[in-house]
Amino acid sequence: MKTKLIIPITVSLFSLFFSAKAQDGKSIFAAKCAACHSIGNGRLVGPDLKGVHSKYNSTYLVKWIKSSQSVINSGDAKAKALFLEYNSIVMPDFLDLKDADIKAIVSYIKTQSGGTVATK
Ligand code: HEC
């Protein structure tokens, strides 16, 4: 009897956890990223982030979002090219964001990116 309850409880806890995560991602994105980035609505100050979760792995995204200038200055040629393409506009560092916050933002980007992935 008890084991029958465990599965639905686990499932609902999981979905609660994941929806809370996406929700946090949404509010962090709105507060810290949306001024410069859209997801699927084209370039703003920075690139459209639609599909960016499949362009880079999460380790790279965490590094980039915490300090894009460190990535650019580490000799990463692609990062440098992107920086130059965007007129050397410096994306601010987000050292206050925890890895989990960044993963929540990336999950949110994923949910907003739909099925098709932007190539640029
Ligand atoms: C002041 C404007 C600004 C803010 C705020 C900002 N960005 Fe950026 N972002 C940029 C610019 C400009 C670039 C292009 C690279 C460069 O110039 O350094 C960029 C590049 C990126 C890229 C690489 C995109 C690609 O296609 O390679 C990611 C990922 C990214 N930003 C995520 C974020 C996230 C997540 C936030 C919020 C936590 C954020 N940015 C906040 C301006 C901004």
Side-chain angles (χ1 to χ4, degrees):
M1 194 59 183
K2 269 189 186 165
T3 45
K4 275 192 181 162
L5 274 174
I6 290 175
I7 294 169
I9 289 173
T10 312
V11 169
S12 50
L13 279 179
F14 258 109
S15 51
L16 204 77
F17 175 72
F18 282 113
S19 60
K21 237 179 116 183
Q23 193 55 45
D24 287 356
K26 183 179 180 177
S27 52
I28 303 170
F29 187 89
K32 300 191 185 270
C33 319
C36 297
H37 293 287
S38 87
I39 308 171
N41 290 315
R43 278 180 175 217
L44 299 174
V45 178
D48 189 335
L49 296 183
K50 182 176 177 178
V52 86
H53 62 283
S54 51
K55 190 171 166 188
Y56 306 106
N57 66 35
S58 65
T59 314
Y60 184 94
L61 284 171
V62 167
K63 260 201 303 190
W64 173 277
I65 293 163
K66 282 191 178 166
S67 177
S68 59
Q69 285 295 306
S70 310
V71 177
I72 292 161
N73 294 326
S74 73
D76 184 321
K78 265 184 151 176
K80 180 92 187 180
L82 186 77
F83 178 57
L84 296 176
E85 186 187 335
Y86 282 82
N87 305 314
S88 305
I89 298 169
V90 174
M91 173 170 146
D93 285 357
F94 292 96
L95 297 170
D96 55 321
L97 291 178
K98 296 188 190 73
D99 290 14
D101 296 331
I102 294 175
K103 283 176 183 152
I105 298 172
V106 175
S107 307
Y108 172 65
I109 292 174
K110 206 168 163 181
T111 64
Q112 296 305 106
S113 293
T116 47
V117 165
T119 47
K120 184 109 204 186

